[in-house]
Amino acid sequence: MTGSFSDYLEKKLLDHVLGGVAYTPPATVYVGLATEAITDATTGTTVAEPTGGAYARVEVTNNATNWPAASGTTATKKNGTGIAFPEATASWGTVTYFFIADAATGGNILMWGSLSASKTIDSGDTPRFNANALTVTLD
Protein backbone atom coordinates (compact mmCIF):
# COMPACT_ATOMS: atom_id res chain seq x y z
CA MET A 1 0.00 0.00 0.00
CA THR A 2 1.83 3.03 -1.25
CA GLY A 3 0.68 6.52 -0.44
CA SER A 4 0.97 10.08 -1.65
CA PHE A 5 1.07 13.50 0.00
CA SER A 6 -2.02 15.69 0.13
CA ASP A 7 -2.16 19.17 -1.41
CA TYR A 8 -2.27 20.54 2.15
CA LEU A 9 1.03 18.91 3.18
CA GLU A 10 2.75 19.60 -0.15
CA LYS A 11 2.11 23.34 0.28
CA LYS A 12 3.23 23.30 3.94
CA LEU A 13 6.51 21.57 3.03
CA LEU A 14 7.23 23.84 0.06
CA ASP A 15 6.63 26.93 2.20
CA HIS A 16 8.86 25.45 4.91
CA VAL A 17 11.78 24.67 2.58
CA LEU A 18 11.38 27.72 0.31
CA GLY A 19 10.20 30.80 2.13
CA GLY A 20 11.16 30.02 5.68
CA VAL A 21 7.59 29.47 6.92
CA ALA A 22 8.01 27.01 9.78
CA TYR A 23 6.00 23.80 9.66
CA THR A 24 5.71 21.85 12.88
CA PRO A 25 4.60 18.25 12.36
CA PRO A 26 1.84 16.98 14.63
CA ALA A 27 2.93 15.10 17.75
CA THR A 28 0.17 12.58 17.04
CA VAL A 29 -1.18 11.40 13.70
CA TYR A 30 -4.35 9.46 13.01
CA VAL A 31 -4.63 6.58 10.55
CA GLY A 32 -8.03 6.22 8.93
CA LEU A 33 -9.85 4.15 6.34
CA ALA A 34 -11.97 5.35 3.42
CA THR A 35 -14.77 3.74 1.45
CA GLU A 36 -14.34 5.98 -1.61
CA ALA A 37 -11.39 7.26 -3.62
CA ILE A 38 -9.09 9.84 -2.05
CA THR A 39 -7.24 12.48 -4.07
CA ASP A 40 -4.60 15.05 -3.12
CA ALA A 41 -7.44 17.56 -2.64
CA THR A 42 -9.46 15.39 -0.20
CA THR A 43 -9.62 16.86 3.30
CA GLY A 44 -10.29 15.42 6.73
CA THR A 45 -13.87 16.65 6.48
CA THR A 46 -14.56 15.45 2.90
CA VAL A 47 -13.06 11.95 3.16
CA ALA A 48 -15.63 9.13 3.00
CA GLU A 49 -14.93 7.17 6.19
CA PRO A 50 -16.99 4.32 7.60
CA THR A 51 -19.63 5.54 10.04
CA GLY A 52 -20.83 3.80 13.19
CA GLY A 53 -19.96 0.28 14.20
CA ALA A 54 -17.16 1.53 16.54
CA TYR A 55 -15.08 2.90 13.62
CA ALA A 56 -12.49 5.46 14.69
CA ARG A 57 -9.20 6.70 13.32
CA VAL A 58 -6.26 5.12 15.12
CA GLU A 59 -4.05 7.46 17.15
CA VAL A 60 -0.32 6.95 16.50
CA THR A 61 2.41 8.87 18.31
CA ASN A 62 4.52 10.59 15.67
CA ASN A 63 7.98 9.33 16.63
CA ALA A 64 10.89 7.34 15.18
CA THR A 65 9.63 4.05 16.64
CA ASN A 66 6.25 4.24 14.93
CA TRP A 67 7.68 5.92 11.79
CA PRO A 68 11.35 4.91 11.35
CA ALA A 69 13.75 6.98 9.24
CA ALA A 70 13.08 7.27 5.54
CA SER A 71 15.30 5.17 3.29
CA GLY A 72 16.13 4.41 -0.34
CA THR A 73 16.83 6.48 -3.43
CA THR A 74 13.10 6.95 -3.76
CA ALA A 75 12.57 8.31 -0.26
CA THR A 76 10.35 5.76 1.46
CA LYS A 77 8.75 5.93 4.90
CA LYS A 78 6.93 2.97 6.50
CA ASN A 79 5.06 2.33 9.73
CA GLY A 80 7.43 0.67 12.20
CA THR A 81 4.71 -0.81 14.39
CA GLY A 82 1.36 -2.47 13.81
CA ILE A 83 -1.73 -0.28 13.63
CA ALA A 84 -4.96 -1.91 14.85
CA PHE A 85 -8.43 -0.43 14.51
CA PRO A 86 -11.19 -1.14 17.03
CA GLU A 87 -13.24 -4.28 16.50
CA ALA A 88 -16.17 -3.49 14.20
CA THR A 89 -19.52 -3.81 15.98
CA ALA A 90 -21.40 -3.44 12.67
CA SER A 91 -20.48 -3.40 9.01
CA TRP A 92 -18.08 -0.62 7.95
CA GLY A 93 -18.66 -1.38 4.28
CA THR A 94 -15.84 -1.94 1.82
CA VAL A 95 -12.70 0.06 2.51
CA THR A 96 -10.44 0.89 -0.42
CA TYR A 97 -8.06 3.60 0.86
CA PHE A 98 -6.06 4.56 3.94
CA PHE A 99 -4.99 8.01 5.07
CA ILE A 100 -2.94 9.73 7.73
CA ALA A 101 -4.48 12.87 9.23
CA ASP A 102 -3.56 15.43 11.86
CA ALA A 103 -6.79 15.07 13.88
CA ALA A 104 -9.03 12.33 15.30
CA THR A 105 -11.94 13.77 13.28
CA GLY A 106 -11.94 16.38 10.55
CA GLY A 107 -8.55 18.05 10.36
CA ASN A 108 -6.19 17.74 7.42
CA ILE A 109 -5.22 14.65 5.50
CA LEU A 110 -1.43 14.54 5.31
CA MET A 111 -0.88 11.39 3.26
CA TRP A 112 -3.06 8.78 1.64
CA GLY A 113 -2.97 5.68 -0.53
CA SER A 114 -5.06 2.93 -2.01
CA LEU A 115 -5.16 -0.48 -0.40
CA SER A 116 -3.56 -3.29 -2.40
CA ALA A 117 -6.97 -5.01 -2.25
CA SER A 118 -10.33 -3.68 -1.11
CA LYS A 119 -11.61 -5.21 2.12
CA THR A 120 -15.18 -5.57 3.37
CA ILE A 121 -15.24 -4.97 7.12
CA ASP A 122 -18.03 -6.86 8.88
CA SER A 123 -19.10 -6.99 12.52
CA GLY A 124 -16.42 -8.77 14.57
CA ASP A 125 -13.56 -7.85 12.20
CA THR A 126 -10.53 -6.04 13.60
CA PRO A 127 -8.76 -4.34 10.68
CA ARG A 128 -5.03 -3.77 11.08
CA PHE A 129 -1.89 -2.82 9.24
CA ASN A 130 1.13 -4.89 10.17
CA ALA A 131 4.48 -3.15 10.65
CA ASN A 132 5.92 -1.98 7.32
CA ALA A 133 2.56 -2.36 5.54
CA LEU A 134 1.97 1.37 4.93
CA THR A 135 4.46 3.01 2.59
CA VAL A 136 4.69 6.67 1.66
CA THR A 137 7.21 7.83 -0.94
CA LEU A 138 8.67 11.04 -2.30
CA ASP A 139 10.62 11.12 -5.52
Side-chain angles (χ1 to χ4, degrees):
M1 292 160 266
T2 301
S4 177
F5 280 31
S6 68
D7 287 345
Y8 168 83
L9 186 58
E10 290 169 348
K11 291 173 190 172
K12 290 291 186 186
L13 294 177
L14 284 172
D15 287 345
H16 178 77
V17 173
L18 301 171
V21 178
Y23 173 71
T24 303
T28 304
V29 294
Y30 300 84
V31 178
L33 300 171
T35 56
E36 294 179 10
I38 296 176
T39 69
D40 284 356
T42 303
T43 69
T45 56
T46 63
V47 65
E49 294 180 83
T51 57
Y55 170 79
R57 296 176 187 175
V58 178
E59 180 179 316
V60 180
T61 301
N62 192 7
N63 62 28
T65 299
N66 293 324
W67 306 103
S71 62
T73 55
T74 300
T76 301
K77 190 87 163 173
K78 296 182 178 190
N79 60 310
T81 57
I83 299 168
F85 287 82
E87 181 178 327
T89 59
S91 174
W92 292 0
T94 301
V95 295
T96 53
Y97 284 78
F98 76 91
F99 63 92
I100 300 170
D102 62 6
T105 60
N108 301 291
I109 290 180
L110 305 174
M111 299 158 212
W112 61 274
S114 61
L115 300 179
S116 53
S118 60
K119 173 70 175 148
T120 301
I121 309 298
D122 292 317
S123 182
D125 291 342
T126 304
R128 68 175 289 114
F129 295 110
N130 293 327
N132 301 310
L134 299 181
T135 303
V136 179
T137 60
L138 279 179
D139 188 21

